[in-house]
Amino acid sequence: MRKETTQAVALWGNRAPAHSITAMMITDDQKTIVTGSLEGQICLWHLSIDMKVTSKAILFGHTAAITCLARAREFEKQPYVVSGSENGEMCVWNVNTGHCIENAKLPYRHTAICYYHCSFRMTGEGWLLCCGHYQDILIVDAKTLQVLHTFKSQCSDWICCMCIVHSTRIQEDSLVSISAAGELKVWDLSSSVTSIQEKLNVYETESKSLEMTNYCAVRFCTFTERLLLVICSSSWKVYDYCDFSLLCTDVCKSGQNFSGGEFLAANRLIIWTQDGHSYIYQLLNRWAHIRLVHDKSSGLSKSVCPGDGGLLKETITPHLLCSTRVTKEQSSLCTMGFMNERKEPFFKILYAGDLTGQLSFWHIPDVPVTQFDGSPLEIPLKVNVTLQEMFDRYKSMSEGIIDHLCNPNEGPAFAMVTASLYIPSLDKLVCGCEDGSIVITFALHAARARLLQDHPLLRGSLPHKIFGGHDSSLTSLLYPHGRSEKYDPSWLISGDQNSSIIWRDIFTGEIFHKFIMQSGAILKLLVPPHDYKVKLFQSIYCVCSDNSVALLNLQERACFFHARKHLFPVKSLKWHPVEEVLVVGCEDGSVYVWETESGTVVF
């Protein structure tokens, strides 16, 4: 039997799609930048030798915000990157072709992923070590994305951050992590491969309480193989990796929060903040030369400096060398990273992406120094680019898919599209516009006309309908029959910025009813599951910008239930199959259980 395939095509006008950056990385070959967004899209950018950035592709595959990105193979052999989203989706991408190689949906929300492969002990493509909103460390097969096992802990907790330690000195790979409770935990990796394959429990070999909160990152110094950098929102600390004694520390400036950092050299490190600032510190030179001696009396290893002949016991505040300049346009919330050695011509690059979709790059000098008076030197911004700039650069792109539904000589016909819906069963494209109008046309005709510039449909007017009724920008659209056959195939539901919801006939435009919610913009329109209560047979749910959830009964033309007590934005809804109960999950992790019959919170 011949397998039918459908090719998806995305079209944009002159305005770039929203790309609020939530995750960012540069591939090992240092030629591709990968950014994940709040909208669920992944963008690939080309990074040239002279640090010029151009967009290459936008990848679709996730239905929720991207939470993390990481390499998924030995990159020189297979240029693969893995992405994770808020709703548990994982995708492996070939960044050279843009193809999705593998995908899965797991009941886990990852916040960080590390790729690990031990060639002389492991078969297959390696592991993806994942941590997030669940206990301990998850081990996922890098090829199939199936959960293989878990690194367990004596005191299980959520893991905030982690890193892989490759040490030639002890010839053992380790996984270092920090839990939400402030416990630093170390698992052996290479010696645990057999135990993992045999499904045996593997517990941490080291554990230490760090007595800090809000951890952001942990990094191992590959230059000395002895220093461990631990960063929390209010401070950062450098520990001796052998005995976890504290060597160096500094606190964050007032009004800022640290979010990450890396070692630049044996005696230098860079720390960055959530708002896009970064600071380069000089450590004591003697820490680059610490070595191990064996104490025969105690049997323990100790850190000794060659010049002192004694133990390192004092904690010293480091010297600030440089800081980076941040543009005024930069968002207050950034995701940042550092590339320590640029191939040809060996640049060191600090990079950032923010919620406005802006990418920023700084060229970090090989030997950072202060100014002549000893004050910190400010490193200027090297590159700053947005997706909109890429759209503006290429003027040859086609207009929006409904920009010329009328005769081209009459000029622009419609306002900007703010919500859209494709109905495959009717081959209809429904576009909600900024001015409140709804445009309905044949989807394939519109796409064909935009892709083929000389198509006959462009010479006249494409078949379409325009419906009114809204007095503000459209924010959401729903075709309920596409979700459940229990709904009439002629119904269309639309919500706008001013909290109005209109129920109409998609063929004639007749308005059956208009609901006024007084709850802010209508963010999402949903239908209950098909096995839900019979009494709610013709009902829909709406999520509003004031953090409320409402149940609208179409039969009675009334709001049946309105939950308004949520303190944070609503992220998910779950329905009980038997009882009249709605479970609402919010952005801060809180959960509300509502009894829809009485409209009260039961939990």
Side-chain angles (χ1 to χ4, degrees):
M1 181 182 292
R2 182 180 177 182
K3 185 178 179 180
E4 297 292 334
T5 59
T6 302
Q7 181 68 44
V9 178
L11 297 175
W12 291 280
N14 293 323
R15 184 173 297 187
H19 189 68
S20 310
I21 298 173
T22 54
M24 185 175 179
M25 67 171 290
I26 297 180
T27 57
D28 288 1
D29 63 356
Q30 302 171 353
K31 295 179 181 179
T32 303
I33 306 161
V34 186
T35 55
S37 69
L38 194 65
E39 295 77 18
Q41 299 139 4
I42 292 174
C43 190
L44 303 181
W45 312 72
H46 175 69
L47 179 64
S48 66
I49 292 178
D50 55 354
M51 288 185 67
K52 289 184 179 179
V53 179
T54 53
S55 58
K56 295 199 304 183
I58 297 180
L59 310 180
F60 296 90
H62 288 283
T63 59
I66 307 300
T67 56
C68 51
L69 295 165
R71 69 187 181 106
R73 295 290 195 282
E74 296 295 338
F75 199 84
E76 292 182 357
K77 300 177 181 178
Q78 294 175 305
Y80 293 172
V81 166
V82 62
S83 57
S85 66
E86 280 190 347
N87 61 353
E89 295 168 343
M90 294 183 73
C91 295
V92 176
W93 307 90
N94 183 324
V95 296
N96 287 350
T97 64
H99 293 158
C100 181
I101 306 302
E102 189 61 60
N103 68 88
K105 187 169 184 179
L106 305 176
Y108 305 98
R109 182 184 185 271
H110 309 308
T111 54
I113 299 175
C114 293
Y115 173 74
Y116 178 70
H117 185 259
C118 184
S119 58
F120 62 92
R121 293 189 179 183
M122 299 175 67
T123 58
E125 302 295 346
W127 295 342
L128 298 176
L129 306 177
C130 308
C131 69
H133 293 184
Y134 46 86
Q135 291 183 338
D136 301 327
I137 304 291
L138 208 63
I139 305 173
V140 177
D141 188 285
K143 182 177 182 180
T144 65
L145 299 183
Q146 294 180 345
V147 177
L148 299 176
H149 207 38
T150 302
F151 279 122
K152 296 185 179 296
S153 175
Q154 299 292 345
C155 298
S156 292
D157 195 3
W158 287 12
I159 302 298
C160 296
C161 52
M162 61 182 178
C163 72
I164 294 178
V165 171
H166 300 285
S167 177
T168 56
R169 176 174 50 82
I170 61 176
Q171 295 185 339
E172 171 70 48
D173 297 334
S174 303
L175 179 67
V176 179
S177 70
I178 304 178
S179 71
E183 292 288 328
L184 186 146
K185 304 172 186 292
V186 181
W187 284 273
D188 291 338
L189 281 178
S190 47
S191 61
S192 300
V193 171
T194 302
S195 298
I196 294 299
Q197 292 171 343
E198 295 176 357
K199 304 296 183 182
L200 301 177
N201 288 338
V202 177
Y203 292 93
E204 71 270 30
T205 56
E206 297 278 354
S207 182
K208 176 182 174 62
S209 178
L210 299 182
E211 299 179 351
M212 295 193 296
T213 58
N214 299 323
Y215 295 91
C216 308
V218 56
R219 293 292 181 267
F220 181 68
C221 180
T222 57
F223 303 97
T224 64
E225 294 193 1
R226 289 300 308 278
L227 303 180
L228 192 69
L229 171 64
V230 175
I231 304 168
C232 68
S233 60
S234 59
S235 64
W236 61 264
K237 300 177 186 294
V238 174
Y239 292 89
D240 185 336
Y241 183 60
C242 281
D243 57 12
F244 299 115
S245 59
L246 181 62
L247 304 177
C248 183
T249 184
D250 198 12
V251 297
C252 195
K253 290 183 178 180
S254 177
Q256 292 185 334
N257 290 302
F258 289 135
S259 61
E262 288 283 359
F263 282 96
L264 293 174
N267 59 350
R268 285 187 299 275
L269 51 84
I270 182 169
I271 308 291
W272 52 81
T273 64
Q274 288 183 351
D275 59 1
H277 291 82
S278 67
Y279 304 94
I280 298 176
Y281 296 90
Q282 176 77 39
L283 306 179
L284 288 179
N285 287 328
R286 60 178 177 168
W287 290 345
H289 305 291
I290 58 177
R291 59 183 176 83
L292 276 181
V293 297
H294 190 73
D295 190 335
K296 295 181 179 179
S297 61
S298 65
L300 299 176
S301 297
K302 299 181 179 180
S303 303
V304 175
C305 286
D308 296 347
L311 298 180
L312 288 173
K313 294 184 178 179
E314 72 275 25
T315 301
I316 300 176
T317 301
H319 180 55
L320 179 61
L321 295 175
C322 305
S323 63
T324 54
R325 185 181 304 164
V326 179
T327 62
K328 294 181 179 179
E329 297 79 13
Q330 200 162 22
S331 169
S332 59
L333 188 61
C334 294
T335 177
M336 301 185 70
F338 180 73
M339 185 172 61
N340 197 25
E341 190 173 271
R342 177 101 166 92
K343 297 177 181 178
E344 302 175 6
F346 306 104
F347 286 159
K348 296 180 179 180
I349 298 175
L350 175 72
Y351 54 88
D354 64 25
L355 291 179
T356 68
Q358 180 176 243
L359 278 69
S360 303
F361 297 83
W362 295 265
H363 176 197
I364 304 301
D366 291 332
V367 184
V369 295
T370 60
Q371 299 189 70
F372 291 113
D373 60 359
S375 60
L377 181 69
E378 189 177 62
I379 300 174
L381 184 68
K382 180 71 174 180
V383 179
N384 189 253
V385 67
T386 64
L387 196 58
Q388 185 60 53
E389 291 178 24
M390 298 295 104
F391 272 58
D392 295 339
R393 184 180 300 176
Y394 301 104
K395 303 296 184 181
S396 60
M397 68 175 60
S398 63
E399 297 86 355
I401 196 166
I402 66 167
D403 282 357
H404 290 284
L405 289 181
C406 66
N407 192 302
N409 296 327
E410 298 177 9
F414 306 108
M416 183 182 71
V417 175
T418 54
S420 61
L421 174 68
Y422 173 53
I423 307 174
S425 60
L426 302 178
D427 186 32
K428 288 188 180 296
L429 176 67
V430 183
C431 296
C433 300
E434 193 174 32
D435 62 358
S437 62
I438 295 178
V439 182
I440 302 178
T441 186
F442 291 106
L444 294 182
H445 283 183
R448 190 182 300 122
R450 292 270 53 85
L451 289 172
L452 307 175
Q453 296 293 330
D454 59 346
H455 195 275
L457 288 172
L458 278 180
R459 299 169 191 164
S461 175
L462 291 173
H464 66 279
K465 295 179 180 179
I466 304 174
F467 299 146
H470 290 279
D471 56 5
S472 63
S473 175
L474 270 293
T475 55
S476 54
L477 293 165
L478 173 67
Y479 181 62
H481 183 75
R483 303 292 182 180
S484 173
E485 294 183 354
K486 296 178 181 179
Y487 294 86
D488 192 292
S490 66
W491 291 356
L492 176 69
I493 316 293
S494 55
D496 65 24
Q497 189 73 31
N498 284 349
S499 203
S500 296
I501 298 175
I502 293 180
W503 167 34
R504 74 170 82 229
D505 189 303
I506 194 173
F507 301 109
T508 65
E510 177 188 355
I511 296 177
F512 303 128
H513 190 71
K514 185 173 183 178
F515 300 88
I516 307 297
M517 301 305 301
Q518 297 181 349
S519 302
I522 307 301
L523 302 181
K524 189 179 294 185
L525 295 167
L526 304 164
V527 300
H530 67 277
D531 57 353
Y532 201 50
K533 287 285 185 180
V534 177
K535 65 180 296 182
L536 303 180
F537 173 63
Q538 293 182 346
S539 301
I540 64 167
Y541 277 91
C542 63
V543 179
C544 308
S545 62
D546 69 344
N547 305 336
S548 66
V549 177
L551 173 61
L552 306 180
N553 191 302
L554 302 181
Q555 282 180 318
E556 300 180 8
R557 290 171 166 78
C559 180
F560 181 76
F561 161 78
H562 202 163
R564 292 181 176 272
K565 293 185 179 181
H566 311 121
L567 300 179
F568 291 87
V570 174
K571 300 296 292 183
S572 61
L573 301 176
K574 298 293 182 181
W575 293 265
H576 196 284
V578 178
E579 300 179 9
E580 296 180 356
V581 170
L582 172 68
V583 182
V584 179
C586 296
E587 197 173 72
D588 68 329
S590 60
V591 176
Y592 296 76
V593 180
W594 292 88
E595 188 179 74
T596 56
E597 182 71 26
S598 62
T600 58
V601 180
V602 296
F603 181 75

